[in-house]
Amino acid sequence: MTTETMPAAPPADIITALQTAWQRPLTNHRTTTQYRPIAHSPEDQTTPDGTQNPLWDIVRWMPAEPLWHGGNLEPTFPYLAFDKATGLKLDQLGATRHHLASRYAWSIISPGDVAWMLRQLDGRALIEIGAGTGYWAWQLEQAGVDVAAYDPHPPAEDNTYCKAGPYTAVLQDDATAVKHHQDRALLMVWPPYGGEHARHALSLYTGDLLLYAGEAWGGCTADDEFYELLGREWDKVSEAPRHVTWWGIHCELAAYRRKGGGAGV
């Protein structure tokens, strides 16, 4: 059985293993980088009492470094910060981007992200297209947001992108589901690279507020036509200031308003 097919350990076991590993960190022999956890850094936010965010609880203890000088800390590969045996153990437990993305969500959502999204929504309900495991919807629902979540491919063992969950109710439907919720804000998180559902959903949406987590034009999310439509009809009005993303993954969490404030064509 490979680490790709091994069942992931409970979050508490992964966190304990990471905390134990920090007792003997390594220094990268090529770059002399001193890796450190996000926990207790400026990027760190603790999960509010009464809510659950196991992805963040794990991520905040993973090895991290800034991708750019002065940038946010970004979680990276455990084998860079710890000895080979420890890195292998953490991989087997599920402390890697691939395991955590397919188990929870492909973009990290922190308590700070949730707080920022609440300010953008200002009490408004939300529709999420391409909800995957429903993890982001679950985080927002715990904060009191009314979320209608949809995905054409529900989580399953043979689903490359979503192997766990759902964490909340995720209805099986494609981008056309947005037509039934035009009064809500629209959320899309890490739509598949080259896929057209993000563009399709945005073209059908007549509302005025989009929350989007993904890379920019030319990155590994959505397709070029989506970004053309986004640039032509929408303005970025805010960006989550300390959104944590995986090392080398240029994910941003941003809010967009329709140009002119009116409905789309």
Side-chain angles (χ1 to χ4, degrees):
M1 180 179 292
T2 67
T3 56
E4 295 296 320
T5 59
M6 290 179 64
D13 291 355
I14 300 175
I15 294 167
T16 297
L18 284 164
Q19 291 173 333
T20 301
W22 282 114
Q23 297 174 15
R24 296 184 62 186
L26 297 177
T27 297
N28 187 287
H29 65 88
R30 288 171 296 148
T31 64
T32 66
T33 298
Q34 185 64 56
Y35 297 98
R36 57 194 187 276
I38 292 171
H40 311 305
S41 76
E43 285 76 33
D44 189 25
Q45 305 102 16
T46 55
T47 304
D49 292 340
T51 65
Q52 302 175 60
N53 190 343
L55 172 59
W56 178 248
D57 293 341
I58 294 169
V59 164
R60 62 190 292 267
W61 284 106
M62 293 186 69
E65 64 169 313
L67 179 59
W68 309 112
H69 178 71
N72 289 355
L73 286 175
E74 301 184 350
T76 188
F77 307 101
Y79 67 78
L80 292 175
F82 309 119
D83 62 65
K84 183 176 180 180
T86 300
L88 178 60
K89 176 183 177 181
L90 289 168
D91 182 278
Q92 292 172 335
L93 288 173
T96 67
R97 175 179 177 252
H98 178 81
H99 283 99
L100 295 174
S102 59
R103 183 178 184 180
Y104 296 113
W106 284 82
S107 184
I108 299 166
I109 180 170
S110 71
D113 292 334
V114 173
W116 175 86
M117 294 173 78
L118 291 177
R119 293 194 295 273
Q120 307 310 309
L121 290 167
D122 192 24
R124 192 169 176 180
L126 190 69
I127 175 174
E128 182 178 8
I129 296 296
T133 65
Y135 193 85
W136 277 59
W138 177 46
Q139 294 304 303
L140 290 164
E141 286 174 343
Q142 290 183 88
V145 180
D146 179 2
V147 184
Y150 295 88
D151 195 280
H153 306 292
E157 285 298 320
D158 60 351
N159 187 326
T160 302
Y161 302 104
C162 304
K163 293 184 179 297
Y167 294 93
T168 188
V170 178
L171 301 178
Q172 189 169 3
D173 205 347
D174 59 18
T176 59
V178 76
K179 295 191 296 185
H180 307 299
H181 301 280
Q182 301 287 11
D183 58 324
R184 296 175 179 242
L186 172 61
L187 170 66
M188 288 188 284
V189 178
W190 205 259
Y193 176 51
E196 62 182 34
H197 92 255
R199 166 171 46 95
H200 193 193
L202 194 60
S203 69
L204 295 173
Y205 180 57
T206 59
D208 64 349
L209 177 59
L210 166 68
L211 301 180
Y212 181 73
E215 294 197 311
W217 193 318
C220 294
T221 47
D223 59 10
D224 289 348
E225 288 80 4
F226 167 78
Y227 294 105
E228 290 171 0
L229 178 60
L230 187 66
R232 186 169 62 248
E233 298 186 6
W234 297 81
D235 288 321
K236 184 193 293 187
V237 294
S238 183
E239 185 175 339
R242 290 199 174 275
H243 176 61
V244 172
T245 183
W246 298 105
W247 193 93
I249 303 297
H250 307 290
C251 181
E252 66 174 27
L253 172 59
Y256 293 83
R257 288 280 183 181
R258 189 180 295 280
K259 292 179 186 293
V265 177

